[in-house]
Amino acid sequence: MAGPILTPKALARHPKPTKTYTAAYDRPMSSGPASERGTALPRARGHVLVVDDHEALADNLREIILEEGSIDVTVRGSGEAALAFARNHGFDVAIVDVKLPDTSGVELLPRLREVVPDAEIILITGFATIDAAIAALRGGAFALLLKSFRPEELKSTVEQAMVKVALRRERDWLERRYRALVEVADVIVLGIDRRGEVVLANPKFTALTGVPPTTARGESVERWIGERDRAPFLAALDDVAARGQPRELEASLISDGASRVIRWHLSAEHEGLIFAIGVDVTERRALERRAANAEALSTMGTLALGLAHEIRNPLNAAVLQMHLLGKQVEREVASDTARASMRDRVQIVVGEIKRLGRLLTEFLELARPRGLARERVAIGEVIDAVIELHAAEASQRGVTAERLDQGVVPPVLGDREKLRQVFVNLFVNALDATASGGTVRITTEQLGDKVMVDMSDDGCGIAEADLSRLFDPFFTTKPGGTGLGLSIVRKILEQHGGALSVRSRVGEGTTVRVELPVAPPDSATMTPP
Ligand code: ADP
């Protein structure tokens, strides 16, 4: 009889030789019917199904196999009975008589295979012809045994079949595990070949980019790396390929209209592939940036509060002086052209001083801690009022404002005036971005316990490089801008337990999404402290 066959793993666990197909694996030895595979309860004992209508012989077979001590045996007398058993319980190895009352073993073989694809089947026959042997092997039988076999021969064949089944299941199991690791991991996994083309992409990549793995395959990876980071990313890939050393770097991933900051680990090359494992650190980086901004703001805020009057008084005086100067010019300058030119200059200076005044007001707004009123606010009404307030400006610019309520939108709990300020800022930004003929669409909708307001414009959009800086105080691309609008908006929303997100595509437009919690049904109204 063949000695026990051991895998290294089994040896490690069982210093004394033990049969691998018994308790050596900590996962199902017997798999159930195909539909249940992978969820079957672990069964350490092997299971042999004997299909033979000859009772005495079947008993004989069972006795021999049971001598193993670690194998259960079930006997069925017909093809149908065997199939029924296989469907309900599965098996590891079947020993099937070629001659059965309702079918032949050769015909039964593929049907059993279908039910339990990872099991092995041994055919037995009383008279082996070459044809029978060929048919058995074609059908995928593990072995064909003549009924004159010796018990050792049977035991050894069963044992080898068991080992084969166990190894196959271990391989499948490992493969499933590895696949699950790649599929469910909350990190991006990309397999990249020497030409920089994507060979493998996992669902996290799809979740972030909206690109299914099949579409990504064969495409150059640089397509999804942000423009500024493309060259360093490709250089890092080259470096990994050349030196065989893993690398780490941060590079953005272009996702559906937005950009995510990804910390990449580039693995050393393995069988022609470099694995790029990416962790999305967008939120972490944003938090760090906000912490830094908040610190800067609070320092500057104290300073600004102290200086506010000092600055505002001279500014007011300057406006007054300019006003007087303007009058004097009208009165005393004789030449028309000289007067017009001086008037223009005076207006420019007044405009700049006003801008400084606005900057100061907005900055103080950001820096000064103030309590919130809490009342039930119908957000639609606030937005309607904002649109109405800017209707003249919008029509002057040739921009259409549309509003859409998706279903019934419940009230939120908040400070009406501050919320108005939020939508004024966002609406003015949208107007500024939109060319004549364009549209600003404001949609409100309840999603779970949140009210969502989407402010969408089909304007110029925001460059990818600017997206991460939008909320930085003083970041502006407008000649007269203060760059404080979005910082204020975000601060107000945070005070309301809400949030703000921006999606944009250059040349296509921008959607700013405001999220506010729905007011609890019995929420009381409070006034600010
Ligand atoms: P400001 O409007 O004073 O510039 P904000 O903080 O409100 O300050 O906006 C900062 C910058 O964000 C703007 O200068 C603009 O470049 C960009 N921005 C904001 N909203 C939009 C939008 N809807 N479309 C395009 N760019 C926008």
Side-chain angles (χ1 to χ4, degrees):
M1 173 188 154
I5 301 164
L6 293 160
T7 62
K9 187 170 173 187
L11 268 176
R13 256 190 226 182
H14 302 268
K16 284 195 197 114
T18 311
K19 297 216 168 30
T20 52
Y21 53 80
T22 58
Y25 297 107
D26 55 358
R27 66 197 117 277
M29 173 65 211
S30 281
S31 62
S35 60
E36 287 171 21
R37 253 192 331 277
T39 58
L41 282 173
R43 186 157 67 183
R45 295 171 67 82
H47 200 127
V48 170
L49 171 64
V50 172
V51 191
D52 198 328
D53 62 328
H54 194 296
E55 258 175 54
L57 182 73
D59 277 350
N60 220 335
L61 287 172
R62 179 167 46 205
E63 291 302 310
I64 296 170
I65 299 164
L66 282 177
E67 277 173 26
E68 281 295 305
S70 56
I71 299 181
D72 293 327
V73 182
T74 299
V75 177
R76 289 292 179 270
S78 70
E80 285 310 318
L83 283 168
F85 176 84
R87 271 186 216 109
N88 290 329
H89 307 284
F91 61 88
D92 301 313
V93 172
I95 302 176
V96 179
D97 196 344
V98 168
K99 218 161 123 285
L100 291 168
D102 54 348
T103 178
S104 88
V106 176
E107 275 163 20
L108 181 61
L109 197 149
R111 299 179 64 196
L112 280 175
R113 261 275 146 85
E114 202 176 51
V115 180
V116 191
D118 56 6
E120 287 295 342
I121 295 161
I122 299 166
L123 290 177
I124 44 173
T125 176
F127 37 86
T129 61
I130 294 277
D131 286 352
I134 289 175
L137 293 177
R138 276 223 182 105
F142 179 76
L144 177 70
L145 287 182
L146 271 180
K147 275 192 181 160
S148 55
F149 54 75
R150 288 168 300 122
E152 284 73 24
E153 206 180 333
L154 174 71
K155 277 200 266 186
S156 149
T157 309
V158 168
E159 183 177 328
Q160 285 168 29
M162 282 286 185
V163 169
K164 188 169 173 194
V165 169
L167 286 176
R168 177 188 298 141
R169 284 187 188 150
E170 163 137 337
R171 192 197 60 204
D172 290 352
W173 180 83
L174 281 174
E175 206 177 293
R176 273 204 304 277
R177 282 250 158 145
Y178 280 121
R179 190 167 301 150
L181 191 74
V182 171
E183 301 282 308
V184 306
D186 195 32
V187 294
I188 303 169
V189 181
L190 289 179
I192 303 167
D193 70 9
R194 291 212 168 145
R195 288 166 301 176
E197 285 175 8
V198 174
V199 177
L200 178 153
N202 74 335
K204 179 74 181 176
F205 172 81
T206 306
L208 287 181
T209 57
V211 179
T214 41
T215 317
R217 241 170 265 149
E219 293 284 343
S220 178
V221 67
E222 64 181 283
R223 259 189 69 173
W224 292 287
I225 304 297
E227 208 178 315
R228 271 191 310 174
D229 300 329
R230 224 164 265 167
F233 187 86
L234 294 179
L237 275 181
D238 284 347
D239 187 51
V240 168
R243 298 196 307 141
Q245 294 290 326
R247 283 277 307 262
E248 298 251 341
L249 83 161
E250 216 161 277
S252 57
L253 181 82
I254 304 173
S255 66
D256 235 359
S259 166
R260 312 287 303 173
V261 185
I262 308 291
R263 175 101 205 135
W264 293 99
H265 172 89
L266 303 178
S267 74
E269 193 173 325
H270 183 70
E271 296 189 356
L273 280 191
I274 291 173
F275 286 97
I277 319 270
V279 180
D280 187 347
V281 292
T282 315
E283 273 76 33
R284 199 191 308 164
R285 291 290 174 268
L287 264 176
E288 286 166 5
R289 193 185 265 266
R290 274 161 66 185
N293 282 341
E295 203 173 316
L297 276 179
S298 73
T299 320
M300 286 193 284
T302 327
L303 198 69
L305 277 173
L307 286 178
H309 286 291
E310 302 302 321
I311 297 173
R312 212 186 281 285
N313 289 344
L315 281 185
N316 287 342
V319 172
L320 189 69
Q321 289 302 320
M322 291 315 287
H323 186 67
L324 296 175
L325 186 63
K327 284 199 163 163
Q328 197 176 353
V329 164
E330 298 299 334
R331 239 184 2 250
E332 292 174 17
V333 177
S335 144
D336 279 356
T337 41
R339 211 167 51 232
S341 143
M342 288 172 119
R343 196 187 293 138
D344 281 353
R345 285 174 195 197
V346 166
Q347 261 162 17
I348 291 174
V349 175
V350 170
E352 286 302 309
I353 294 175
K354 282 193 175 155
R355 193 175 83 81
L356 285 176
R358 209 167 55 241
L359 184 71
L360 199 65
T361 311
E362 288 190 3
F363 192 64
L364 286 177
E365 178 64 46
L366 201 58
R368 187 186 298 145
R370 187 161 352 118
L372 285 188
R374 293 264 181 209
E375 55 181 323
R376 292 164 74 83
V377 179
I379 215 75
E381 287 173 13
V382 173
I383 294 166
D384 283 340
V386 169
I387 295 179
E388 205 178 307
L389 185 72
H390 294 84
E393 191 185 344
S395 83
Q396 205 178 5
R397 293 176 180 228
V399 176
T400 313
E402 282 179 2
R403 214 170 81 61
L404 194 69
D405 274 335
Q406 312 258 39
V408 179
V409 179
V412 300
L413 196 62
D415 188 315
R416 188 183 298 273
E417 187 44 41
K418 296 244 171 198
L419 291 175
R420 200 184 71 90
Q421 207 180 340
V422 164
F423 293 107
V424 165
N425 270 311
L426 298 182
F427 191 63
V428 168
N429 275 347
L431 280 184
D432 284 347
T434 311
S436 176
T439 306
V440 177
R441 182 170 294 119
I442 309 167
T443 321
T444 54
E445 184 184 6
Q446 177 179 10
L447 275 186
D449 56 358
K450 300 263 164 58
V451 171
M452 306 286 180
V453 182
D454 281 344
M455 175 89 64
S456 299
D457 63 63
D458 51 9
C460 58
I462 300 167
E464 190 204 317
D466 290 342
L467 271 175
S468 56
R469 299 158 65 204
L470 284 187
F471 298 100
D472 289 358
F474 307 114
F475 171 76
T476 181
T477 57
K478 301 174 193 169
T482 61
L484 290 174
L486 288 177
S487 301
I488 293 173
V489 166
R490 183 155 75 183
K491 185 173 163 191
I492 296 176
L493 290 175
E494 280 173 358
Q495 287 171 335
H496 281 82
L500 186 70
S501 55
V502 180
R503 297 177 76 76
S504 188
R505 240 182 235 279
V506 172
E508 289 183 19
T510 303
T511 295
V512 180
R513 165 164 283 200
V514 169
E515 271 182 51
L516 284 164
V518 169
D522 55 351
S523 46
T525 294
M526 288 187 296
T527 40

